């Protein structure tokens, strides 16, 4: 127990936590993000209904307005869609997909970008030039265009019957592969500075391998900016996934994310059933905005010049 209390006490007494609790916007963003995370993670237990259980759907309940409107039903707090699915439950389940894709794609792009940036910065020469030229070329294209290209190529190469089975992994790979240059360039710049410092030179003198020096000596000293970029890229990844799903090339309709829900509701927006698309859109905005505000705070908190 003492082993857990001591680190927690140090965290509560740190400059980072002081900066956090002194910023009302950051605290509010953290609370909103926590609500989104808990609601999505515990959707099977917290959601009023299972929107993807076909046996429980009733078309008679389709297009019910939110509970506070004249024809609303308290059983469906945010109304229902064209298939009689509870919009609130669909948002909670859809947010699970959006967060899963966003988090996994950021982890993938972070690992790939940090690894390539570390190698490019430490080795230099031809390896550095080749990797950075590839990164420069990729940065000239919008990330959503690269994700669409990767998704299209995978769908064209693989048999149609496996598309839905691997759709989630394809989306994660497509979004992750489009974001690695930002991590690589940042880590490469920091590594160029660190590799000429005395502690790295001392590690070389005592005969440590390049891989050992990169992983145990250089890497811990270049991770600060990576955490900030990863946090900011999480919001971008969630938006990219929602965009792909809105265009119909993301996750399959059997596992709809927030982007899919917005696309479905968009068909009924001008016929009066505004809640089908507005509420998933608000949930997406709240999720991304909270992540971006936390990323902005983390960037400022980790910058000693702004303290």
């Amino acid at each position: 127990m003492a082993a857990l209390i001591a680190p927690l006490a140090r965290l509560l007494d740190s400059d980072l936590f002081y900066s956090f609790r002194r910023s009302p916007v950051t605290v509010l963003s953290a609370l909103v993000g926590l609500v989104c995370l808990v609601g999505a993670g515990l959707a099977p237990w917290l959601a009023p209904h299972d929107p993807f259980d076909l046996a429980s759907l009733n078309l008679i309940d389709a297009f019910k307005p939110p509970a506070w409107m004249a024809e609303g039903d308290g059983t469906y707090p945010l109304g229902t869609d064209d298939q009689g699915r509870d919009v609130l439950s669909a948002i909670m389940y859809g947010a699970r997909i959006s967060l899963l894709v966003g988090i996994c794609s950021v982890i993938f792009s972070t690992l790939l970008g940090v690894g390539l940036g570390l190698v490019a910065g430490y080795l230099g020469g031809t390896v550095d030039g080749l990797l950075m030229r590839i990164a420069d070329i990729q940065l000239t294209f919008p990330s959503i265009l690269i994700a669409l290209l990767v998704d299209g190529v995978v769908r064209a190469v693989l048999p149609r019957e496996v598309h839905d089975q691997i759709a989630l992994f394809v989306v994660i790979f497509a979004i992750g592969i489009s974001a690695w240059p930002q991590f690589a360039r940042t880590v490469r710049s920091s590594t160029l500075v660190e590799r000429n410092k005395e502690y790295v030179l001392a590690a070389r003198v005592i005969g440590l391998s390049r891989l050992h020096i990169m992983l145990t000596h250089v890497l811990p000293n270049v991770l600060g900016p990576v955490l900030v970029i990863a946090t900011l890229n999480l919001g971008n990844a969630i938006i990219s996934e929602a965009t792909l799903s809105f265009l119909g090339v993301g996750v399959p309709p059997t596992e709809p994310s927030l982007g899919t829900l917005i696309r479905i509701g968009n068909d009924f927006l001008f016929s009066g059933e505004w809640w089908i698309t507005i509420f998933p859109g608000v949930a997406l905005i709240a999720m991304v905005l909270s992540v971006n505000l936390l990323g902005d705070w983390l960037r400022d908190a980790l910058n000693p010049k702004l303290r």
Side-chain angles (χ1 to χ4, degrees):
M1 189 67 179
L4 296 176
I5 295 178
L8 181 60
R10 287 196 298 270
L11 175 63
L12 297 178
D13 193 45
S14 64
D15 293 339
L16 192 65
F17 184 75
Y18 176 80
S19 172
F20 172 79
R21 62 188 179 87
R22 292 282 294 178
S23 174
V25 174
T26 304
V27 173
L28 179 61
S29 300
L31 290 176
V32 172
L34 182 62
V35 169
C36 294
L37 189 61
V38 171
L42 302 181
W45 298 275
L46 297 180
H49 307 273
D50 184 353
F52 309 124
D53 181 10
L54 299 180
S56 65
L57 298 182
N58 190 347
L59 290 178
I60 298 178
D61 294 330
F63 298 120
K64 282 189 176 295
W68 61 85
M69 296 181 66
E71 299 179 0
D73 186 344
T75 308
Y76 308 107
L78 300 183
T80 61
D81 62 7
D82 58 317
Q83 300 180 36
R85 296 181 298 191
D86 178 42
V87 172
L88 176 60
S89 301
I91 290 174
M92 296 174 69
Y93 276 85
R96 301 180 77 194
I97 304 296
S98 297
L99 283 172
L100 176 63
V101 172
I103 292 173
C104 290
S105 61
V106 167
I107 292 175
F108 172 65
S109 60
T110 301
L111 293 176
L112 180 61
V114 169
L116 294 179
L118 198 61
V119 170
Y122 189 82
L123 298 183
T126 304
V127 174
D128 181 24
L130 178 61
L131 290 175
M132 288 303 101
R133 294 303 74 76
I134 295 175
D136 290 339
I137 293 173
Q138 184 168 326
L139 286 173
T140 62
F141 297 94
S143 58
I144 190 65
L145 182 60
I146 296 174
L148 282 170
L149 177 63
V150 172
D151 183 84
V153 169
V154 172
R155 288 174 180 269
V157 172
L158 297 179
R160 184 180 298 271
E161 55 269 16
V162 301
H163 285 180
D164 287 350
Q165 301 174 14
I166 64 170
L168 188 64
F169 301 101
V170 172
V171 172
I172 292 173
F173 176 78
I175 296 175
I177 202 68
S178 66
W180 72 268
Q182 302 176 44
F183 295 94
R185 292 182 65 86
T186 301
V187 172
R188 180 247 185 191
S189 300
S190 300
T191 303
L192 287 175
V193 176
E194 296 294 327
R195 72 176 184 177
N196 294 320
K197 290 187 176 180
E198 293 181 354
Y199 73 94
V200 175
L201 298 177
R204 291 176 184 170
V205 170
I206 63 176
L208 296 180
S209 65
R210 289 179 174 179
L211 181 62
H212 184 82
I213 295 174
M214 285 191 290
L215 294 181
T216 61
H217 292 76
V218 179
L219 181 59
N221 292 296
V222 301
L223 285 181
V226 172
L227 296 176
V228 177
I229 298 175
T231 305
L232 294 173
N233 267 272
L234 177 58
N236 294 334
I238 294 174
I239 288 292
S240 297
E241 185 281 324
T243 303
L244 292 174
S245 297
F246 184 85
L247 296 174
V249 295
V251 295
T254 55
E255 300 178 0
S257 66
L258 293 178
T260 308
L261 297 176
I262 295 172
R263 175 173 58 83
I264 294 172
N266 191 59
D267 297 333
F268 308 100
L269 181 60
F270 296 105
S271 61
E273 291 80 17
W274 51 268
W275 56 87
I276 302 177
T277 190
I278 292 298
F279 290 130
V282 170
L284 179 64
I285 292 172
M287 187 186 305
V288 174
L289 184 60
S290 65
V291 171
N292 286 342
L293 290 175
L294 286 173
D296 288 340
W297 162 77
L298 189 61
R299 178 190 58 201
D300 296 340
L302 294 178
N303 189 349
K305 296 180 180 180
L306 299 178
R307 293 179 182 178

